[in-house]
């Protein structure tokens, strides 16, 4: 192992924060939040902004067949598998400015530190912004990273449609054309990184409650997404007697009550969320003939997710106001435990910044949940105020974000020296 480069001494906190604010302006809403839905114009603008940073840093910008954007800092041994660090730039519909983006900007700070230090290293370093981590516009999430890691096929991903019927594939073609026009090089095939690191906001209350600016994340809980359809019969709201109705709303309403009851049989670690609910024909005086809703189910123990999956499938087969129910799984990702050796390197880096930092299992999923299935992977968290996220009130403190980014720089330094 060679001497580390003391890269952390080259972290320019002011420049880092200027980048955080530059990113936050892309897709900014008047209400104070941001909206950068996967592959929309604001999301593409954020990627183009990242590509623009490559040249001055002596890096090369690439994009792949899923629109993942990479900045590569060459090493003296270019054939070595790169150390990959990254996160995502897309957001929820009415989001804060730090979920994902903080991680991408912190990586930029790593490249700036390497550049300012005139660092020589054998292994290439790559920064990546993954496509469609959130899954808010096109379900399921983590499209770019799951394809790159080999856990999902491109065909299935591009077939997804948004609520307006726009296919992922069409939005992707538009994005790839913009990335190509930017001068970034096209690199079709994924590769197997030497290791993957992700710094992300915690999106929970633990670190803030401890006054801790950074910690190691040891794994991510499991997550299953369902799409449920309740098919009834439209009819006149004023003339149709109760006994003659097949009311999709009432069927969905009762079914949701039963699903929730099944979920409540599990421990308080379970997370059961219905985030989308739509009715057709969506008219005040017509009985709904179709209800569609989603379920987001999470737990650290795969056995619990499996038990509830069976219970949900059984409930879907029962009669709900004479309607027909289909319950489909749009995403099922098992929990991951991150790589022990990588965690050790991260722990040492975090301890240099904050000796008494805790270790956390992430309640939110991240691109790292897929990368962990193709290379040694681990994460760092930094706090957000009151743990609020997926909301315009999402907030981070500059001083804490700089400490967390310095821990990331130390980890990269340590891994490049090993
Ligand atoms: O849903 C999640 O856990 C992530 O924020 N996309
Ligand atoms: Mn995120
Ligand atoms: Mn998110």
């Amino acid at each position: 192992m060679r001497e580390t480069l003391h890269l952390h001494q080259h972290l320019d906190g002011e420049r880092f924060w200027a980048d955080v604010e530059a990113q936050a302006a892309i897709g900014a809403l008047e209400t104070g939040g941001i909206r950068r839905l996967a592959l929309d114009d604001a999301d593409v603008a954020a990627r183009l902004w990242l590509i623009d940073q490559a040249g001055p840093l002596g890096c090369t910008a690439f994009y792949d067949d899923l629109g993942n954007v990479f900045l590569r800092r060459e090493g003296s041994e270019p054939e070595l598998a790169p150390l990959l660090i990254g996160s995502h730039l897309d957001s929820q519909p009415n989001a804060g400015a730090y979920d994902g983006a903080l991680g991408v900007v912190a990586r930029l700070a790593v490249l700036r530190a390497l550049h300012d230090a005139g660092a020589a290293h054998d292994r290439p370093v790559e920064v990546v912004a993954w496509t469609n981590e959130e899954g808010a516009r096109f379900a399921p999430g983590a499209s770019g990273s799951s394809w790159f890691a080999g856990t999902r096929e491109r065909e299935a991903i591009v077939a997804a449609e948004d609520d307006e019927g726009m296919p992922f594939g069409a939005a992707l073609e538009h994005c790839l054309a913009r990335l190509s026009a930017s001068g970034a090089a096209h690199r079709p095939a994924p590769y197997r990184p030497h290791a993957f690191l992700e710094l992300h906001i915690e999106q929970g209350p633990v670190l803030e409650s401890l006054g801790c600016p950074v910690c190691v994340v040891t794994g991510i809980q499991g997550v299953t997404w369902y799409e449920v359809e309740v098919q009834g019969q439209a009819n006149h709201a004023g003339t149709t007697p109760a006994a003659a109705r097949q009311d999709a709303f009432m069927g969905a309403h009762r079914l949701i009550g039963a699903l929730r009851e099944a979920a409540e049989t599990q421990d308080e670690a379970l997370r059961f969320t219905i985030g989308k609910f739509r009715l057709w024909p969506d008219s005040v005086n017509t009985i709904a003939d179709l209800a569609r809703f989603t379920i987001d189910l999470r737990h650290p123990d795969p056995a619990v997710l499996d038990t509830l999956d069976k219970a949900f499938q059984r409930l879907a087969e029962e009669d709900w106001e004479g309607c027909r129910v289909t319950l489909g799984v749009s995403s099922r990702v098992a929990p991951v435990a991150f790589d022990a050796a990588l965690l050790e390197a991260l722990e040492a880096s975090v301890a240099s910044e904050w000796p008494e930092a805790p270790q956390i299992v992430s309640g939110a999923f991240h691109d790292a949940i897929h990368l962990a299935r193709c290379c040694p992977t681990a994460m760092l968290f930094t706090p957000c105020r009151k743990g609020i996220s997926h909301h315009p009130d999402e907030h981070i403190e500059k001083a804490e974000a700089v400490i967390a980014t310095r821990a990331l720089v130390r980890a990269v330094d340590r891994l490049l020296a090993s």
Side-chain angles (χ1 to χ4, degrees):
M1 175 161 172
R2 68 159 170 67
E3 260 293 287
T4 62
L5 301 164
H6 303 294
L7 270 185
H8 61 284
Q9 292 164 1
H10 295 274
L11 173 63
D12 177 345
E14 293 311 310
R15 181 63 205 260
F16 158 69
W17 197 251
D19 285 340
V20 169
E21 291 177 333
Q23 263 295 322
I26 304 172
L29 297 170
E30 261 129 60
T31 53
I34 74 160
R35 180 187 179 89
R36 284 202 301 246
L37 293 178
L39 301 173
D40 75 4
D41 288 342
D43 181 36
V44 174
R47 297 153 190 265
L48 293 173
W49 176 87
L50 183 62
I51 287 170
D52 287 348
Q53 310 311 312
L57 290 173
C59 293
T60 314
F62 293 91
Y63 66 95
D64 65 19
D65 284 352
L66 255 288
N68 298 313
V69 170
F70 300 81
L71 300 191
R72 178 182 174 98
R73 179 179 164 88
E74 201 49 87
S76 56
E77 296 181 40
E79 70 289 350
L80 287 177
L83 173 60
L84 184 63
I85 54 181
S87 196
H88 63 95
L89 293 172
D90 65 301
S91 80
Q92 288 286 320
N94 183 23
Y98 309 106
D99 174 355
L102 173 79
V104 175
V105 171
R107 270 69 171 188
L108 208 45
V110 172
L111 291 181
R112 293 192 195 289
L114 286 163
H115 183 260
D116 295 351
H121 44 89
D122 49 7
R123 185 176 300 286
V125 176
E126 294 202 1
V127 163
V128 62
W130 299 112
T131 294
N132 185 35
E133 187 277 344
E134 291 291 355
R137 180 183 179 195
F138 299 105
S143 306
S145 53
S146 58
W147 169 76
F148 182 91
T151 54
R152 280 202 197 114
E153 295 304 319
R154 190 173 189 278
E155 290 64 38
I157 292 170
V158 298
E161 285 189 3
D162 68 11
D163 287 345
E164 278 64 56
M166 167 67 81
F168 182 104
L172 177 63
E173 286 317 310
H174 166 76
C175 171
L176 294 178
R178 300 278 305 280
L179 299 180
S180 168
S182 75
H186 178 226
R187 185 171 65 180
Y191 62 83
R192 188 188 177 89
H194 171 64
F196 176 68
L197 293 184
E198 181 164 9
L199 165 61
H200 200 283
I201 57 172
E202 178 198 345
Q203 301 172 300
V206 174
L207 290 180
E208 184 186 50
S209 67
L210 298 172
C212 176
V214 60
C215 81
V216 169
V217 182
T218 56
I220 302 178
Q221 69 175 343
V223 50
T224 308
W225 280 7
Y226 295 91
E227 288 178 352
V228 188
E229 267 200 9
V230 179
Q231 180 73 55
Q233 176 64 48
N235 211 327
H236 196 293
T239 58
T240 313
R245 291 184 176 214
Q246 288 170 266
D247 183 331
F249 172 76
M250 289 305 170
H253 171 66
R254 286 190 51 232
L255 170 58
I256 287 169
L259 291 166
R260 190 169 170 210
E261 254 176 57
E264 284 168 353
T265 63
Q266 299 302 321
D267 63 30
E268 41 62 43
L270 186 86
R271 300 287 182 267
F272 172 88
T273 309
I274 293 179
K276 293 181 80 166
F277 187 101
R278 293 181 74 182
L279 285 179
W280 284 265
D282 196 22
S283 162
V284 63
N285 49 356
T286 299
I287 300 167
D289 60 358
L290 178 62
R292 277 199 187 126
F293 62 89
T294 59
I295 303 170
D296 176 319
L297 193 71
R298 313 215 189 180
H299 197 278
D301 179 351
V304 169
L305 294 173
D306 194 40
T307 301
L308 282 176
D309 184 66
K310 292 188 174 66
F312 288 4
Q313 300 294 351
R314 276 196 306 276
L315 285 171
E317 285 157 18
E318 292 180 17
D319 174 63
W320 301 99
E321 303 286 322
C323 300
R324 192 166 35 80
V325 173
T326 51
L327 178 109
V329 174
S330 62
S331 170
R332 191 194 310 271
V333 190
V336 283
F338 290 140
D339 177 83
L342 203 48
L343 287 173
E344 224 175 284
L346 284 192
E347 275 154 29
S349 306
V350 165
S352 307
E353 294 295 334
W354 207 265
E356 58 280 7
Q359 294 190 346
I360 288 183
V361 172
S362 178
F365 68 75
H366 306 281
D367 295 299
I369 202 170
H370 292 283
L371 270 292
R373 290 163 165 96
C374 92
C375 70
T377 294
M379 290 185 70
L380 294 175
F381 271 169
T382 193
C384 47
R385 188 168 54 195
K386 296 198 188 109
I388 294 172
S389 183
H390 287 193
H391 187 284
D393 289 352
E394 184 181 275
H395 176 83
I396 61 173
E397 293 301 333
K398 173 180 170 184
E400 293 179 325
V402 170
I403 291 170
T405 301
R406 203 166 46 231
L408 175 70
V409 173
R410 287 177 184 272
V412 169
D413 196 355
R414 186 180 293 271
L415 292 170
L416 289 177
S418 59

